[in-house]
Amino acid sequence: MKILLSVPGHLKTVPMNDYVFRTLKEMGHEVRLFNFGAHGFYQQILKKISEERFFSYINRKVEGLVNNFRPDVFFTICGFDHGRTSIEYIKNKCVLTICWWLNDPFQLKRSLRQAAFYDYYFTNSKGTIKDYYANNIKNVFYLPVGCYPPVHRKLMNEDNRYDVCFAGDWHHVREEILSSLAQDFDVSIFGPWKKKINKNSHLTKNVVRDGFFSPEEMVNIFNQSKIILNIHTWLGKWDYGINPRIFEANGCGAFQVSDYKEEIPELYEPEREIVLYKNTGELREKISFFLTHDKERIDIAEKGLLKTLRYHTYEQRLREMFQIARLE
């Protein structure tokens, strides 16, 4: 199958662009990759001059690729800059259109503006399907992301250098929780945090490595930590919608403690393959217990890894997507 894959490659926090591309190739498909972000000098200048002209430029480029490559499927991740006119143009060329949206529920309004453009639209949040239906958008399906085993993997002979680790972007919800935990536990933070938090904050000393990290660096961090914390940025607002960290940490064989989301118990058995919390008090209790119970912690991490490799890889997700879209 010939697939034109359009990705936001300019975003440093969306490495799944590469995972999807590589998985599609490994599955035997012929794939052409297009980065719809302002990643080159001309695109960056054009976007500063005029968002409308940049938007038009991107969509003309995509239409030209469709004409030259003649794909069977146009597949975009997020699809921020692809307009209705361009998607209709592609559909009129007898090309099936698919978008995999990753930012529900916190950017649902943005998603609702584009979901109806596509033949098939996939979201990371099962809980938002009802909102699409309420807006008369019926072509939406729940499809979480996964892990990419060549990257997300268990490393041998790694020591636990860190007790409690968080790796990811700054968010005020995350800062509040980690600041509280750091008063009682050895908390290590990896990510672009120091420009966000107050220089006088006691949390600055917990930022082990400031700035963005590569997927390989993340894997090393996960393999060197006793406990990986997953804190969704929408904690306290929505109890549904899951981020990629769920699968990436478990795919590394790490022991993961995540805030509760409705979808997670359908993916992993709580307290057996992943540990969940609903408030900071509960989180404290679980951290205290598992820091001193190595056997139980390691057992849960191993079971989470096995479940991930069996059911939650990008290849399995893409096969499910193509089955829904009647391409397999």
Side-chain angles (χ1 to χ4, degrees):
M1 188 160 55
K2 295 178 68 175
I3 301 172
L4 175 54
L5 178 64
S6 180
V7 302
H10 58 302
L11 299 181
K12 295 180 180 179
T13 55
V14 190
M16 70 170 288
N17 299 324
D18 185 51
Y19 307 150
V20 171
F21 175 70
R22 290 163 66 179
T23 301
L24 288 171
K25 301 255 312 170
E26 290 161 7
M27 291 168 68
H29 300 295
E30 183 180 352
V31 189
R32 182 73 59 84
L33 188 65
F34 176 73
N35 182 349
F36 64 72
H39 55 92
F41 180 74
Y42 175 77
Q43 291 95 322
Q44 292 173 4
I45 295 297
L46 185 61
K47 193 167 187 177
K48 287 183 178 180
I49 294 172
S50 169
E51 288 273 354
E52 184 177 349
R53 288 176 61 184
F54 170 76
F55 182 80
S56 177
Y57 169 83
I58 288 297
N59 284 282
R60 287 198 309 272
K61 291 277 286 184
V62 167
E63 291 169 13
L65 272 174
V66 169
N67 291 331
N68 292 327
F69 183 53
R70 298 181 181 278
D72 301 300
V73 177
F74 173 77
F75 175 12
T76 183
I77 296 173
C78 290
F80 299 128
D81 294 325
H82 297 310
R84 179 187 292 274
T85 301
S86 186
I87 301 303
E88 288 296 332
Y89 178 91
I90 295 170
K91 291 164 77 171
N92 287 335
K93 296 288 183 178
C94 297
V95 177
L96 190 77
T97 58
I98 295 174
C99 181
W100 198 356
W101 176 254
L102 311 175
N103 293 349
D104 279 339
F106 62 98
Q107 286 192 354
L108 176 62
K109 290 183 179 178
R110 188 179 192 183
S111 182
L112 289 172
R113 292 196 293 266
Q114 67 177 29
F117 299 173
Y118 296 88
D119 293 308
Y120 293 91
Y121 199 81
F122 295 88
T123 172
N124 63 298
S125 172
K126 191 174 184 178
T128 56
I129 296 292
K130 63 183 185 303
D131 298 298
Y132 289 97
Y133 278 37
N135 285 271
N136 201 35
I137 300 171
K138 309 293 187 180
N139 60 321
V140 180
F141 303 87
Y142 163 61
L143 189 71
V145 295
C147 84
Y148 183 59
V151 173
H152 309 117
R153 64 202 187 280
K154 180 71 176 176
L155 302 179
M156 297 296 104
N157 303 319
E158 290 290 344
D159 297 325
N160 291 137
R161 296 174 57 187
Y162 313 108
D163 279 356
V164 181
C165 172
F166 177 83
D169 291 341
W170 174 90
H171 189 276
H172 67 88
V173 169
R174 291 169 169 171
E175 180 179 350
E176 182 179 347
I177 292 174
L178 293 175
S179 182
S180 174
L181 293 176
Q183 297 176 35
D184 301 304
F185 303 104
D186 183 6
V187 175
S188 300
I189 299 173
F190 296 81
W193 277 62
K194 286 192 174 179
K195 290 183 179 179
K196 298 289 187 177
I197 57 179
N198 190 300
K199 293 181 180 179
N200 297 321
S201 170
H202 72 276
L203 205 58
T204 56
K205 65 180 175 60
N206 297 92
V207 181
V208 177
R209 186 182 304 166
D210 190 42
F212 293 101
F213 47 81
S214 69
E216 285 289 347
E217 289 170 331
M218 183 186 71
V219 169
N220 286 325
I221 294 166
F222 287 174
N223 275 272
Q224 294 172 0
S225 303
K226 290 184 179 179
I227 296 177
I228 297 297
L229 283 185
N230 190 348
I231 307 170
H232 290 74
T233 57
W234 52 96
L235 173 64
K237 290 187 176 181
W238 298 280
D239 59 0
Y240 49 81
I242 49 179
N243 61 20
R245 193 68 80 238
I246 292 289
F247 309 103
E248 293 168 348
N250 278 14
C252 291
F255 174 79
Q256 181 175 189
V257 182
S258 173
D259 54 306
Y260 174 85
K261 293 290 177 277
E262 291 179 356
E263 295 92 338
I264 297 177
E266 300 175 0
L267 301 162
Y268 295 101
E269 185 177 339
E271 310 307 312
R272 187 173 184 272
E273 298 165 334
I274 192 170
V275 171
L276 304 178
Y277 65 92
K278 291 188 175 181
N279 55 61
T280 306
E282 191 175 4
L283 174 58
R284 284 177 174 278
E285 292 177 3
K286 295 191 175 185
I287 289 174
S288 295
F289 177 83
F290 284 107
L291 278 177
T292 57
H293 289 74
D294 293 349
K295 183 179 182 302
E296 289 86 346
R297 189 182 69 244
I298 292 170
D299 184 59
I300 290 173
E302 289 178 348
K303 286 183 171 67
L305 171 60
L306 292 174
K307 173 64 76 67
T308 303
L309 294 177
R310 187 173 182 183
Y311 295 108
H312 304 311
T313 67
Y314 275 99
E315 180 174 352
Q316 288 151 336
R317 294 291 188 257
L318 291 169
R319 291 196 184 282
E320 182 178 352
M321 174 187 286
F322 293 161
Q323 286 172 359
I324 292 172
R326 300 178 182 179
L327 292 170
E328 284 194 350

